[in-house]
Amino acid sequence: MAELAERSSRHVAARPSQWSELLRKDDWWAIWIGLSLVAAAAALFLNGGSLKWIAVAPQKWSHLENATGQLQQHAAQYAALFVLWAVTLGTAAAALGIRLTRFLPAFLTLYVVSGAIYFLGLWDQAAHYNLEPPLVALGLGLVVSNTFGAPRWLTPALRVEFYIKTGIVLLGAGLPLTLIAWAGPVAIFQAAVISLVTFGVIYFSAVGLGLDRRLAATLGTGGAVCGVSGAIAIGGAVGAKKEQVSVAISLVVVWAIVMIFVLPLAARSLSLSTGVAGAWIGTSEFADAAGLAAAQTYGGYAGHVPGIAGNADAAVSAFTLMKVIGRDVWIGVWAFVLSLIATTRWERTGVYAQTGAGEIWRRFPKFVLGFLLASALITLLSRGYDYASYKRDVLPGLVAPLQALRTWAFTFAFLSIGLTTRFREFVSVGARPFYAFTLGVIVNVTLGFFLSTRVFDGFWNRLGQ
Amino acid sequence: MNAAASTCCARCRHFNGRPLEIEAALPGLSSFGSGYASVRDQDGLCALHDRYVAARSVCELIALMPEPWIRREPAPVLGA
């Protein structure tokens, strides 16, 4: 094998430059788009303007006439916002190899339906009927996709991860860097405990049930680190069979969707504060998109459901700190370590991985850099403002428009989740992988609840204030 | 070990790293993940072994794609 590795390194194929990654990965496009919007908002703010005209969002309404009136009054802004998204997302889609002529009509449909869901969420009776936009978007998409099926022409615009990553970069603009620095170590510690324990439970129970170690590792990181992204990263790093990656993805998707509905409902029944619930969701959900749907849903309860303390944004903020900073960023380390173990300790497959520390950077979820840069930029601009002037000037003029754009991006993602999830396409996972993964889910949710509500509850509660 | 075994999977005709085709081959990937994600690096599907492998992996059964995709340097003399 050493000979193979040596000879491979001497034979250099004409391969794309490393710089081409900057245009070929949706992580980087999320950064380009997110940071461009943040920079534009900052430039306008510094010159006395604001991005808020184009970052239009529905306002509270009580009667249908109010909603249609809003729409008529701001029709030009909604049209301009569509053009903004079409140009930015369309440029990225084209660079990724998706034909613009197919992307744009599909995206127009996605935009219109997302807008309708966004409007519905602002109905003053929405909370009463549990019509939270993430749940409505997800539920509608799932029903369409699993009954008569989403039309094929819609597929080019259904880019869940791309929209979520763009939204997370924009989310950075609403989280001061000082807050990330304050909360980061606790999030990393809590996430490390949960990741190691959950991985151990899934991996060793899977091996104990007689499953292949590569499948066990793929299942383990799917449940413990970052869901589908974790499964696909580790599947490639250890050279898992295609079917094993499919099994892990199927289990992650099913459990992630179950948890989108279960975690907010459970937290609501226990009247957890938004910060604590967000931390629990961040610890126990399996995918960023699923967790953000659950966290945004729970944030929507703040101020509407009696007994739920904390502000609406705290759920999403705590989730992001826990999931993105605490868990996602470590996937490269998991890939490096497991690849090394697979190469040196596990049975040979005929394919030999050439692992190295470079694996850590190559698999690093780059969009996190955009999230941190957006946070740093807005933190820098906000220096010199006291709390009152920040609330009066910076928040409405600079941060709120970016938050509105973030909500749009997340709504595109939530709708796309449902429309791309067709349960009948999932492989039959078999009983043993199901048992191993489900045991991990039970431990993960229980331990996540304990850490969020008993050990670090004071910390997460403060975040919500 | 033949000479063809001396390069990595990315250059093999059995290897498919195209994001959209990987998404189609792995149902659910596009629901909560992406074929274009950084975490996926340059991994792809190996039709020969029916595995999902890193592009930098090596294999004795490799089937090199024809020029101009491959630019070879002089083969090293092992043990020299």
Side-chain angles (χ1 to χ4, degrees), chain B residues 36-53:
Chain B
Y36 296 98
S38 289
V39 296
R40 214 180 59 71
D41 192 17
Q42 302 293 331
D43 303 339
L45 293 163
C46 168
L48 189 66
H49 292 89
D50 197 28
R51 286 184 182 275
Y52 182 69
V53 299

Side-chain angles (χ1 to χ4, degrees), chain B:
Chain B
M1 185 188 310
N2 58 37
S6 60
T7 190
C8 63
C9 291
R11 290 89 189 183
C12 176
R13 68 175 75 249
H14 300 300
F15 180 85
N16 180 0
R18 290 184 284 277
L20 291 177
E21 291 177 29
I22 290 171
E23 287 182 0
L26 300 171
L29 174 58
S30 55
S31 298
F32 286 115
S34 167
Y36 296 98
S38 289
V39 296
R40 214 180 59 71
D41 192 17
Q42 302 293 331
D43 303 339
L45 293 163
C46 168
L48 189 66
H49 292 89
D50 197 28
R51 286 184 182 275
Y52 182 69
V53 299
R56 289 173 175 76
S57 300
V58 291
C59 163
E60 295 187 17
L61 301 174
I62 198 163
L64 288 173
M65 284 188 286
E67 300 280 2
W69 304 104
I70 308 298
R71 183 183 75 238
R72 291 207 195 175
E73 292 176 357
V77 179
L78 290 176

Side-chain angles (χ1 to χ4, degrees), chain A residues 3-4 6-8 10-15 21 24-27 96 98 159-161 165 214 228-229 232-233 235-236 239-242 245-246 249 253 256-257 260 287 289-290 331 349-354 362-366 417 420-421 425-426, chain B residues 1-3 5-11 19-20 22-23 25-43 45-46 49-61 68-79:
Chain A
E3 289 177 359
L4 273 173
E6 182 188 349
R7 297 179 83 183
S8 174
R10 298 287 184 87
H11 279 66
V12 183
R15 50 177 302 156
E21 291 279 298
R24 288 168 185 263
K25 295 291 186 185
D26 55 17
D27 288 63
L96 294 173
I98 300 168
R159 306 300 318 170
V160 177
E161 276 269 291
K165 289 168 181 170
R214 287 176 171 80
V228 169
S229 295
I232 197 85
K241 285 183 181 170
K242 178 189 157 197
V245 179
S246 283
I249 289 174
V253 171
I257 288 177
I260 291 175
I331 188 60
T349 63
V351 181
Y352 307 98
Q354 299 186 93
R362 286 197 300 273
R363 294 190 189 276
F364 183 83
K366 313 293 188 306
I417 292 172
T420 51
T421 304
E425 287 184 358
F426 291 164
Chain B
M1 185 188 310
N2 58 37
S6 60
T7 190
C8 63
C9 291
R11 290 89 189 183
L20 291 177
I22 290 171
E23 287 182 0
L26 300 171
L29 174 58
S30 55
S31 298
F32 286 115
S34 167
Y36 296 98
S38 289
V39 296
R40 214 180 59 71
D41 192 17
Q42 302 293 331
D43 303 339
L45 293 163
C46 168
H49 292 89
D50 197 28
R51 286 184 182 275
Y52 182 69
V53 299
R56 289 173 175 76
S57 300
V58 291
C59 163
E60 295 187 17
L61 301 174
W69 304 104
I70 308 298
R71 183 183 75 238
R72 291 207 195 175
E73 292 176 357
V77 179
L78 290 176

Side-chain angles (χ1 to χ4, degrees), chain A residues 1 92 97 111 120 158 174 205 240 246 257 261 269 278 297 313 348 350 353 355 364 381 387 401 416:
Chain A
M1 202 198 119
Y111 178 77
L120 184 64
L158 305 179
S205 58
S246 283
I257 288 177
F261 295 95
S269 69
T297 296
D313 263 355
R348 296 188 172 185
T355 195
F364 183 83
L381 280 176
Y387 184 67
S416 300

Side-chain angles (χ1 to χ4, degrees), chain A residues 30-376:
Chain A
I31 293 177
W32 306 143
I33 294 172
L35 286 187
S36 297
L37 292 170
V38 172
L44 285 167
F45 179 74
L46 289 173
N47 289 287
S50 173
L51 202 63
K52 62 186 171 191
W53 184 85
I54 201 165
V56 61
Q59 303 301 311
K60 277 276 180 203
W61 57 277
S62 53
H63 298 94
L64 199 57
E65 302 83 61
N66 302 144
T68 52
Q70 273 189 45
L71 202 54
Q72 285 171 351
Q73 189 183 351
H74 300 289
Q77 289 165 268
Y78 282 106
L81 179 60
F82 170 73
V83 172
L84 175 69
W85 283 126
V87 168
T88 52
L89 299 174
T91 303
L96 294 173
I98 300 168
R99 283 187 195 168
L100 262 184
T101 50
R102 293 185 180 177
F103 177 82
L104 289 177
F107 179 71
L108 175 61
T109 307
L110 191 75
Y111 178 77
V112 170
V113 179
S114 297
I117 291 167
Y118 203 166
F119 260 95
L120 184 64
L122 270 297
W123 180 31
D124 63 2
Q125 297 299 309
H128 178 70
Y129 293 104
N130 284 324
L131 294 174
E132 293 300 330
L135 299 187
V136 173
L138 181 69
L140 176 68
L142 282 174
V143 168
V144 169
S145 185
N146 290 280
T147 51
F148 46 89
R152 288 180 67 86
W153 57 264
L154 204 52
T155 306
L158 305 179
R159 306 300 318 170
V160 177
E161 276 269 291
F162 179 36
Y163 302 139
I164 278 291
K165 289 168 181 170
T166 304
I168 290 176
V169 173
L170 291 169
L171 179 64
L175 276 179
L177 202 57
T178 46
L179 180 71
I180 296 173
W182 173 70
V186 172
I188 288 170
F189 178 75
Q190 182 171 331
V193 171
I194 205 88
S195 294
L196 290 168
V197 171
T198 305
F199 178 85
V201 168
I202 297 176
Y203 179 83
F204 288 110
S205 58
V207 171
L209 287 166
L211 296 175
D212 180 77
R213 290 180 187 278
R214 287 176 171 80
L215 172 58
T218 307
L219 284 172
T221 41
V225 188
C226 52
V228 169
S229 295
I232 197 85
I234 300 308
V238 303
K241 285 183 181 170
K242 178 189 157 197
E243 184 194 355
Q244 295 173 334
V245 179
S246 283
V247 165
I249 289 174
S250 299
L251 283 167
V252 167
V253 171
V254 170
W255 273 113
I257 288 177
V258 168
M259 289 301 161
I260 291 175
F261 295 95
V262 168
L263 289 175
L265 284 176
R268 179 177 173 164
S269 69
L270 296 165
S271 295
L272 299 184
S273 72
T274 50
V276 169
W280 183 26
I281 294 166
T283 313
S284 299
E285 248 297 2
F286 304 103
D288 288 357
L292 282 163
Q296 190 172 308
T297 296
Y298 200 76
Y301 295 154
H304 297 103
V305 177
I308 293 180
N311 61 58
D313 263 355
V316 169
S317 301
F319 167 83
T320 306
L321 287 165
M322 180 60 66
K323 181 70 171 62
V324 177
I325 303 296
R327 292 166 69 190
D328 290 357
V329 298
W330 303 103
I331 188 60
V333 177
W334 283 92
F336 170 56
V337 172
L338 288 169
S339 172
L340 204 59
I341 294 171
T343 307
T344 56
R345 305 289 296 274
W346 295 348
E347 68 179 41
R348 296 188 172 185
T349 63
V351 181
Y352 307 98
Q354 299 186 93
T355 195
E359 190 94 8
I360 296 171
W361 167 247
R362 286 197 300 273
R363 294 190 189 276
F364 183 83
K366 313 293 188 306
F367 72 94
V368 178
L369 301 176
F371 167 79
L372 294 172
L373 280 171
S375 172

